[in-house]
Amino acid sequence: MPAPLRPEFHEGQYLAADDVSAIVRYGRDAAARHHRHLHTWGIASGLEVSQQPREDAPEYRRVVVAPGTLVDPSGREIVVPAPLALSTAAQAGGLTDPDDPSPRPLMLMWNDVPSGVSPSSGACGGAAEEAAPRAEEGFALLLGAPGDELDLAEQQPPAPDAGPDRLGDGGRGRVLVGFVTWGGGIGGGFTGVLAEANGIGRRYAGVLADRVSARGGTLELAAEPRPVAGRVGVRIGGTDGSLDVGRFSAAGAMTPSLRVLSDGSTRLKGDVTIDGGLTVTGPVDSPLVSGSVLAQSGTATHGVVLPLPQGVTQDQVASGDVVLHIQVTPVAQASDAPAPGGGSGWNGVGALPVVLRCEVDAARRLVCLIAWYGISGAAAAAGYGSPAVLPGRARYLVLAAAAREPS
């Protein structure tokens, strides 16, 4: 099979109708291949489906398809220049199983119509017996049966070098624009309009690309063509070359919640919920954001420096980014009373502990001293006086609160 043929002409050449048609075919075929191989088929703009009351039958609705454009699976462009209003199923190709209330797909496909006659000159200046007609690149609105939308994604495109119009199986491509419901049997009417059914909705045209580059240095991904306040989007590039995920304002400005900077570091702002495991390799600058609190608890003995909550550094405390709140509670049990040489000659029963000091100094070092009164028996014989002042234990709770956004 030859590659696509490009029409070429020379001075003095007689042009037949097919020569001129080849010019049109060449452009149409090239455009269709572009649509098929660099884009995905679907709605390009407009074609929203809405409903209006019917004055002649208030229990039913008039279905209206807005103007717009689409590209079908063959790569052919279909243009709907004006609104389409449907009151009967016959206007959309008829109705199957009128008693079924299930959603029915409303689809568009191309339908060329010969349109008008352009007079042409004969060989001697007279009118030609048959003039070349124009073709209106029209469309047909098709009301499918419930479930017909399930195989639309499986439509097979034509051969790679083919032009538009026919699919691989010889049929015409169909593009879903919405769903309608029908009631009242064969003499009934439309009862509603739906955006999707069976998990399938309107299909929009897309792009097939392995690389997308921004000419202005910033690339944005958004779910709407115009900024919508509060909606999430992605922005790549900008003055610092970062990747930002955040929410747009009505004016299009973004407030990032996640930033990946050009040096490879990542910053998060706001609450983070993790469902599943989390593995972090490398240092964590700060897990704190304004208003959040981290905690560390346990039991420590006299002279031990209390640890900071995981992810909090001494530099953050020193700079004022993090404020510490520390609570210590002494632990004084009979088992903590003195026993000579670690022996079991005395179990501390009858001894009275008095907490002399239980506090934390500026370096978070625990100071816990306990005086034991009523020492007797083996402990007294071993040289423990009364009271005996000994190092003690304490339960601690360290709270780290973010005083401001980490610098």
Side-chain angles (χ1 to χ4, degrees), residues 83-124:
L84 299 175
L86 302 177
S87 296
T88 66
Q91 294 174 287
L95 183 70
T96 60
D97 196 1
D99 296 321
D100 189 344
S102 302
R104 302 168 183 269
L106 194 61
M107 300 167 284
L108 275 169
M109 60 184 180
W110 66 266
N111 185 40
D112 285 352
V113 179
S115 177
V117 174
S118 296
S120 61
S121 297
C124 297

Side-chain angles (χ1 to χ4, degrees), residues 21-380:
S21 296
I23 301 173
V24 177
R25 283 197 303 270
Y26 182 79
R28 291 186 75 241
D29 291 357
R33 289 191 294 268
H34 174 95
H35 289 320
R36 286 203 309 270
H37 302 312
L38 293 178
H39 299 269
T40 58
W41 57 270
I43 298 170
S45 66
L47 302 178
E48 296 85 0
V49 182
S50 60
Q51 57 183 325
Q52 300 174 350
R54 279 180 55 180
E55 296 179 359
D56 59 330
E59 68 273 25
Y60 300 126
R61 298 290 181 268
R62 177 183 295 106
V63 175
V64 179
V65 180
T69 60
L70 62 82
V71 175
D72 78 0
S74 76
R76 173 167 176 158
E77 181 184 72
I78 297 176
V79 179
V80 179
L84 299 175
L86 302 177
S87 296
T88 66
Q91 294 174 287
L95 183 70
T96 60
D97 196 1
D99 296 321
D100 189 344
S102 302
R104 302 168 183 269
L106 194 61
M107 300 167 284
L108 275 169
M109 60 184 180
W110 66 266
N111 185 40
D112 285 352
V113 179
S115 177
V117 174
S118 296
S120 61
S121 297
C124 297
E129 294 182 0
E130 291 188 8
R134 302 293 190 261
E136 178 184 339
E137 293 193 331
F139 51 86
L141 200 55
L142 177 64
L143 180 62
D148 280 355
E149 70 278 4
L150 299 177
D151 64 348
L152 291 178
E154 306 301 323
Q155 298 177 92
Q156 297 301 313
D161 62 332
D165 303 339
R166 296 295 176 178
L167 300 182
D169 59 2
R172 288 181 286 178
R174 297 164 294 156
V175 178
L176 177 70
V177 295
F179 290 88
V180 296
T181 52
W182 182 272
I186 192 65
F190 297 109
T191 57
V193 169
L194 299 173
E196 64 176 55
N198 300 319
I200 299 175
R202 289 158 54 91
R203 172 169 176 157
Y204 290 89
V207 176
L208 296 173
D210 298 292
R211 180 183 177 90
V212 179
S213 302
R215 293 166 294 180
T218 302
L219 181 67
E220 288 187 353
L221 299 178
E224 298 85 9
R226 298 178 181 84
V228 177
R231 298 301 294 269
V232 175
V234 178
R235 177 177 292 164
I236 304 174
T239 55
D240 57 0
S242 63
L243 181 149
D244 298 338
V245 179
R247 294 186 298 175
F248 288 111
S249 69
M254 175 181 285
T255 302
S257 297
L258 168 66
R259 302 200 77 196
V260 180
L261 303 180
S262 57
D263 61 3
S265 61
T266 302
R267 296 181 181 178
L268 290 171
K269 182 178 180 180
D271 297 333
V272 178
T273 301
I274 298 175
D275 186 5
L278 174 66
T279 301
V280 178
T281 59
V284 178
D285 290 339
S286 175
L288 290 170
V289 295
S290 180
S292 64
V293 177
L294 295 179
Q296 177 73 38
S297 63
T299 302
T301 57
H302 173 77
V304 171
V305 176
L306 301 186
L308 293 171
Q310 185 175 4
V312 178
T313 66
Q314 182 59 41
D315 289 341
Q316 292 173 321
V317 176
S319 66
D321 289 340
V322 173
V323 176
L324 297 181
H325 303 273
I326 301 176
Q327 177 181 340
V328 290
T329 304
V331 177
Q333 299 176 342
S335 58
D336 295 327
S344 57
W346 181 73
N347 60 10
V349 175
L352 175 64
V354 176
V355 178
L356 300 179
R357 294 181 64 185
C358 188
E359 58 192 30
V360 177
D361 63 16
R364 300 193 315 281
R365 182 174 284 103
L366 176 65
V367 179
C368 186
L369 296 175
I370 300 177
W372 294 89
Y373 290 87
I375 303 298
S376 60

